[in-house]
């Protein structure tokens, strides 16, 4: 019998939390190399990513590498007026940060720095579990699914890429109708492409 979404979340969250500090650092460094070798990065100028929590692969080295290449970065924040949706706000080394209700770092809201989601070239999403078909299981809030459902499904941008440790791969993620498909998943070992 295949595992439920809740069981898979528990399994992969435990696996990634069990990684040592050294393993986490190696993984984060290797992930940067995967992204820098990814041919489509050159055509992505406006890139959304997120601040790591709960054993997720650290995005900090990636953030530094992308700033060094003069990419414009954006972070999600919980929409203050429309529950369940995300906004994306410009992220520079000077951006004031705070913790949201889930204990995840996000920028302090500055309306003049919000970027409409359709103007992003690439959105790097967190995930809890994935499979070889590109199915994504998030933390269970559906925030990315809901926010991205506003975009036409036949669009070319923003491209969606999930980031994960290799240990977050499972045999099969049961998908639901509302789950937004990923075009790519990057782990420290490889970049997977799904069409
Ligand atoms: N486009 C949407 N509109 C309304 N609710 C949505 C939408 N997408 C997802 N949801 C809701 O979000 C909840 C969590 O979705 P789920 O896919 O399990 O979370 P996650 O993607 O974080 O793993 C579900 O109950 C689902 O009904
Ligand atoms: Mg989902």
């Amino acid at each position: 019998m295949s595992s439920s979404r809740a069981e898979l979340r528990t399994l992969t969250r435990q696996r990634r939390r069990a990684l040592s500090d050294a393993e986490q650092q190696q993984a984060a460094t290797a992930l940067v190399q995967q992204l820098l070798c990814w041919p489509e990065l050159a055509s992505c100028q406006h890139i959304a990513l997120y601040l790591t929590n709960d054993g997720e692969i650290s995005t900090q080295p990636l953030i530094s590498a992308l700033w060094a290449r003069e990419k414009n970065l954006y972070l999600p924040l919980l929409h203050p007026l429309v529950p369940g949706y995300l906004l994306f706000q410009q992220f520079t080394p000077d951006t004031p940060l705070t913790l949201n209700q889930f204990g995840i770092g996000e920028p302090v809201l500055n309306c003049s720095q919000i970027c409409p989601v359709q103007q992003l070239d690439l959105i790097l999403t967190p995930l809890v579990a994935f499979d070889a078909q590109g199915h994504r299981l998030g933390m269970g809030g559906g925030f990315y699914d809901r926010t991205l459902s506003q975009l036409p499904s036949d669009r070319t941008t923003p491209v969606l890429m999930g980031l994960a440790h290799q240990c977050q791969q499972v045999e099969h993620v049961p998908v639901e109708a509302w789950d937004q498909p990923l075009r790519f998943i990057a782990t420290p070992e490889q970049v997977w492409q799904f069409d």
Side-chain angles (χ1 to χ4, degrees):
M1 205 182 82
S2 66
S3 305
S4 72
R5 286 160 70 97
E7 287 167 341
L8 290 173
R9 285 190 180 101
T10 303
L11 173 77
T12 56
R13 290 177 95 152
Q14 279 172 353
R15 278 191 201 156
R16 71 184 185 189
R17 279 199 205 119
L19 296 170
S20 67
D21 289 350
E23 287 170 324
Q24 282 283 2
Q25 279 178 25
Q26 283 164 13
T29 306
L31 183 72
V32 174
Q33 293 314 312
Q34 292 293 344
L35 264 289
L36 295 184
C37 294
W38 179 55
E40 296 188 38
L41 185 67
S43 58
C44 297
Q45 182 57 37
H46 298 279
I47 302 174
L49 37 60
Y50 58 93
L51 299 175
T52 303
N53 93 108
D54 187 36
E56 288 170 345
I57 191 161
S58 173
T59 51
Q60 219 55 57
L62 183 60
I63 289 166
S64 301
L66 294 176
W67 274 335
R69 281 156 187 79
E70 304 196 331
K71 302 291 187 185
N72 298 97
L73 300 189
Y74 302 82
L75 287 177
L77 67 147
L78 299 174
H79 200 300
L81 301 176
V82 193
Y85 285 79
L86 301 172
L87 293 173
F88 291 92
Q89 184 171 308
Q90 211 171 91
F91 176 37
T92 71
D94 301 325
T95 301
L97 300 172
T98 183
L99 292 181
N100 67 22
Q101 65 193 71
F102 302 109
I104 301 172
E106 64 173 38
V108 174
L109 177 64
N110 179 339
C111 293
S112 69
Q113 295 186 358
I114 297 296
C115 178
V117 66
Q118 62 272 20
Q119 288 177 21
L120 296 168
D121 298 312
L122 173 66
I123 302 178
L124 301 173
T125 78
L127 58 82
V128 174
F130 70 95
D131 66 21
Q133 283 70 50
H135 300 145
R136 169 185 184 271
L137 208 51
M139 287 171 61
F143 290 93
Y144 283 90
D145 291 327
R146 226 176 267 111
T147 304
L148 300 171
S149 70
Q150 307 166 94
L151 299 171
S153 55
D154 61 351
R155 70 180 192 277
T156 52
T157 59
V159 169
L160 303 187
M161 175 188 276
L163 304 182
H165 289 289
Q166 195 57 56
C167 65
Q168 291 170 243
Q169 185 179 357
V170 297
E171 185 71 27
H172 173 66
V173 170
V175 276
E176 298 288 355
W178 60 77
D179 283 321
Q180 290 286 317
L182 298 172
R183 284 255 342 266
F184 297 90
I185 291 177
T187 71
E189 292 177 19
Q190 69 179 106
V191 177
W192 312 57
Q193 178 168 0
F194 312 99
D195 286 308

